[in-house]
Amino acid sequence: MVEPVDLPALPRVTGPLPGPHSAELLIRQDRREPNARVYPRHIPIVIDEAWGSFVRDLEGNVFIDFLTGAGVLSLGHNHPESVRVVTEQLGRFAHGLDLPTPAKDAFTEAQLSMLPPTMRGRTRVHFCGPTGVNAVDAAIRLCKTATGRSDVVSFQGGFRGTTHLGMAVTGLVASKRPIGNGVPGVDLMKDGRRGPVAQEPATQICGPETSIDSAAGGSIPSPTRDAAPDPGSTVGGCARPPAADRAGSRIAGFLAQLP
């Protein structure tokens, strides 16, 4: 049994942030790591320990962690059951590529058991890399393979990751504007339709008379076309956002136009 870290029941901050010890590590990180890091540039703390929904920095300040590892720590930090099974597996077998193991088989069985009976027999579980953009990449390759088409529809405001492909299908373009020769065949759509790019500095790709399609290398060169891709188009997939994504509100209009 793993004992919990001795954290107080309530959050507390006893001085300015970052504290001196945290500031020292943040300065070293700034010197050693590129600007690709995101969270420490906006949350100036250095976490020393964590338990449940609380994290403690080097100065002893305690915060409620609403970020929860970008939403993946559904049981909180250092949950005893998670620590137990991870420790047990590390002591048995740490890295098995895509070979089957009893733990992997049990995990797959648990996932499939939650599906409706009519889906279980035709569902496959793909074990991709540990990041969201790995899943995006796998989904796009699957769609292209299954449809035999090549283009992808994405939506303004969506975030898909920072790999080359992930940035290509990301709707916010400020971070990818300096990178030339992006992935071709990506149709970016605003408010569920293709059209002139809004004059917003954070999202603008090109001038007001240039369509999102042509700026993104889209395959349908009409700057004012409102309709969804016709059945004869080359669109093979849609980078659909989750409900919490800023692009989520823009997909309804597009889906309504589908045949």
Side-chain angles (χ1 to χ4, degrees):
M1 178 70 177
V2 179
E3 295 298 326
V5 178
D6 182 22
L7 293 180
L10 296 175
R12 67 182 184 193
V13 177
T14 59
L17 301 175
H21 299 297
S22 294
E24 184 179 349
L25 268 67
L26 288 166
I27 291 172
R28 287 209 297 268
Q29 184 188 43
D30 183 64
R31 186 170 65 247
R32 297 169 175 173
E33 299 181 28
N35 289 336
R37 68 192 190 284
V38 176
Y39 298 107
R41 300 173 69 187
H42 301 280
I43 307 174
I45 63 174
V46 175
I47 297 174
D48 183 39
E49 294 179 300
W51 178 260
S53 59
F54 297 100
V55 296
R56 179 165 61 193
D57 70 4
L58 292 178
E59 281 71 34
N61 300 306
V62 178
F63 309 89
I64 301 175
D65 181 14
F66 289 100
L67 187 61
T68 62
V72 302
L73 296 175
S74 57
L75 298 180
H77 291 279
N78 304 336
H79 189 280
E81 183 67 11
S82 297
V83 173
R84 182 188 67 79
V85 296
V86 169
T87 303
E88 178 182 324
Q89 183 60 39
L90 287 175
R92 295 173 60 89
F93 190 37
H95 196 305
L97 301 173
D98 56 358
L99 295 170
T101 66
K104 185 177 181 181
D105 181 73
F107 175 82
T108 304
E109 179 66 27
Q111 299 303 305
L112 294 176
S113 69
M114 292 185 283
L115 297 176
T118 55
M119 291 182 61
R120 293 174 193 166
R122 56 190 178 89
T123 298
R124 301 292 182 268
V125 179
H126 175 56
F127 290 85
C128 53
T131 69
V133 74
N134 291 129
V136 170
D137 185 274
I140 289 176
R141 286 185 284 119
L142 176 62
C143 287
K144 289 186 175 183
T145 301
T147 63
R149 299 176 179 179
S150 58
D151 285 18
V152 177
V153 173
S154 189
F155 293 82
Q156 183 188 30
F159 176 73
R160 302 289 164 259
T162 56
T163 64
H164 200 221
L165 176 60
M167 292 179 70
V169 295
T170 287
L172 300 174
V173 301
S175 60
K176 65 183 179 181
R177 184 181 291 113
I179 302 175
N181 297 325
V183 177
V186 175
D187 295 315
L188 293 177
M189 303 184 74
K190 181 180 183 295
D191 298 325
R193 59 189 177 186
R194 293 179 173 83
V197 179
Q199 294 298 299
E200 302 172 8
T203 59
Q204 184 176 348
I205 306 174
C206 50
E209 301 303 321
T210 306
S211 74
I212 294 179
D213 289 338
S214 59
S219 62
I220 304 177
S222 171
T224 58
R225 178 167 148 126
D226 271 358
D230 60 72
S233 76
T234 58
V235 174
C238 172
R240 186 184 188 281
D245 198 305
R246 281 175 289 181
S249 60
R250 298 182 170 95
I251 196 172
F254 171 78
L255 294 179
Q257 300 174 61
L258 294 177

